[in-house]
Amino acid sequence: MAAALPPQLKQIQHHLRTGQEHEKRDPVVAYYCRLYAMQTGMKLDSKTPECRKFLVKLMDQLETMKKELGDNESISQELVGHAHIENYALKMFLYADNEDRSGRFHKNMIKSFYTASLLLDVLSVFGELSEENFQHRKYAKWKATYIHNCLKNGEAPQSGPIGMEGEAYDDEYDVEHGAASRPSPPSSHVLSKDDPDANTNFSNLQIPPGAHAPANTPAEVPHCTGEPSNPVQPVPRNIPVVDPSLLNAVQQGEVRLTPEDNTRAQKYCKYAGSALQYEDVGTAVQNLQKALKLLTTGKE
């Protein structure tokens, strides 16, 4: 945006920058990054003239984008929009995670970790984050800062999760200038001693498999043993085997689906459709199998 960001709204600068970077690459990502920035900015400061002026311009930009993208289901339907952003965020996370576990540390993987964490922030425009996405966001922000600081100090980062008692991301990684700078309060990245995340032991942090994770993604992060992790070479992605029992599945007579069951089944189908936009057949198959099982058995 042309207007300068007021200091009071510094917390949203990286989300706005991510939106700008995706303006042409993925307008849906750009739209939701700006929507998150606008909603967060309103909570931070909507009273002072400079902030109000900035946020009004941002609202106008969002209205224009919404009209231009009106035919896009990711904008008109929240469920599809949620799947689009979540898929995009987890793909960035998994790319960075595979590079990290393979011992390949570079600027692009650091930026991918950090951008994934920002996009997981953005998911909050659709409601509260799932526990899975909350853990992915926490790990991605910490990893970006940890690897950046290691490289900056000439130290060799350790692959995968490692024991960092009390480690927190009180430095915010600046993906544009390649520097960590302490943000001005209020900031969701600054953890106070009263914050339950402030004393997180990352050696015990479990990163569950993403709903859209390729088959080669580890289901869990191993506990730290005090020794450096051995790099894990990524294996070729495999298409999951279709459950034979689902091939000729018909709904069982006693199954009564609730409205919530129908909504969840729709969600899995939307996830599958979104995955196919990225040619991720494995993820599409997994989600369609989940939908089919739910519809025929009433169970997940």
Side-chain angles (χ1 to χ4, degrees), residues 40-51:
T40 305
M42 293 291 288
K43 295 174 186 176
L44 291 171
D45 188 342
S46 62
K47 304 293 186 184
T48 58
E50 58 178 339
C51 291

Side-chain angles (χ1 to χ4, degrees), residues 13-272:
Q13 65 178 336
H14 294 289
H15 300 88
L16 287 172
R17 185 181 298 151
T18 300
Q20 188 66 36
E21 290 172 348
H22 288 80
E23 182 88 49
K24 295 181 179 179
R25 189 191 319 171
D26 193 322
V28 171
V29 171
Y31 174 82
Y32 283 112
C33 282
R34 287 166 180 158
L35 180 60
Y36 172 85
M38 190 270 291
Q39 292 180 354
T40 305
M42 293 291 288
K43 295 174 186 176
L44 291 171
D45 188 342
S46 62
K47 304 293 186 184
T48 58
E50 58 178 339
C51 291
R52 190 170 184 81
K53 183 179 179 182
F54 183 90
L55 291 170
V56 166
K57 286 187 176 180
L58 186 55
M59 287 180 198
D60 290 342
Q61 187 180 34
L62 282 165
E63 281 302 312
T64 300
M65 292 186 73
K66 193 169 185 178
K67 290 177 182 177
E68 292 174 349
L69 300 171
D71 295 335
N72 192 315
E73 284 192 344
S74 294
I75 302 298
S76 61
Q77 299 184 36
E78 281 197 359
L79 202 61
V80 184
H82 184 284
H84 186 103
I85 301 300
E86 187 176 44
N87 270 340
Y88 197 98
L90 291 178
K91 282 184 178 296
M92 296 202 79
F93 178 92
L94 293 169
Y95 161 75
D97 189 47
N98 280 334
E99 291 294 282
D100 175 45
R101 291 169 186 273
S102 301
R104 294 188 290 267
F105 305 106
H106 49 84
K107 185 177 179 180
N108 281 344
M109 66 93 72
I110 296 173
K111 183 170 182 177
S112 291
F113 263 136
Y114 192 67
T115 302
S117 75
L118 295 176
L119 293 177
L120 290 169
D121 284 339
V122 169
L123 280 180
S124 64
V125 303
F126 303 102
E128 188 176 354
L129 289 186
S130 67
E131 178 62 23
E132 178 179 77
N133 285 331
F134 177 82
Q135 297 284 13
H136 276 93
R137 181 181 66 176
K138 178 186 291 187
Y139 184 77
K141 284 183 180 176
W142 166 71
K143 258 296 181 179
T145 303
Y146 164 72
I147 297 171
H148 165 76
N149 288 337
C150 282
L151 297 181
K152 182 179 70 173
N153 297 328
E155 301 170 1
Q158 293 186 35
S159 297
I162 54 178
M164 298 292 287
E165 186 71 47
E167 178 76 11
Y169 13 85
D170 51 359
D171 283 342
E172 183 168 346
Y173 178 67
D174 187 326
V175 294
E176 183 174 280
H177 300 102
S181 58
R182 199 169 294 275
S184 303
S187 171
S188 60
H189 307 305
V190 179
L191 304 182
S192 70
K193 64 180 180 180
D194 298 320
D195 192 306
D197 291 336
N199 296 313
T200 300
N201 180 356
F202 285 92
S203 64
N204 295 323
L205 180 62
Q206 296 293 312
I207 306 298
H212 318 294
N216 62 323
T217 304
E220 289 185 342
V221 170
H223 292 299
C224 178
T225 59
E227 299 176 359
S229 304
N230 292 322
V232 179
Q233 295 299 326
V235 296
R237 180 185 302 180
N238 296 315
I239 304 298
V241 177
V242 177
D243 183 350
S245 66
L246 296 177
L247 292 176
N248 298 309
V250 293
Q251 188 175 35
Q252 298 174 7
E254 298 299 318
V255 174
R256 292 186 178 181
L257 298 176
T258 65
E260 290 76 16
D261 291 333
N262 284 323
T263 299
R264 282 200 298 273
Q266 288 178 22
K267 186 175 179 181
Y268 287 132
C269 291
K270 296 292 186 183
Y271 283 165

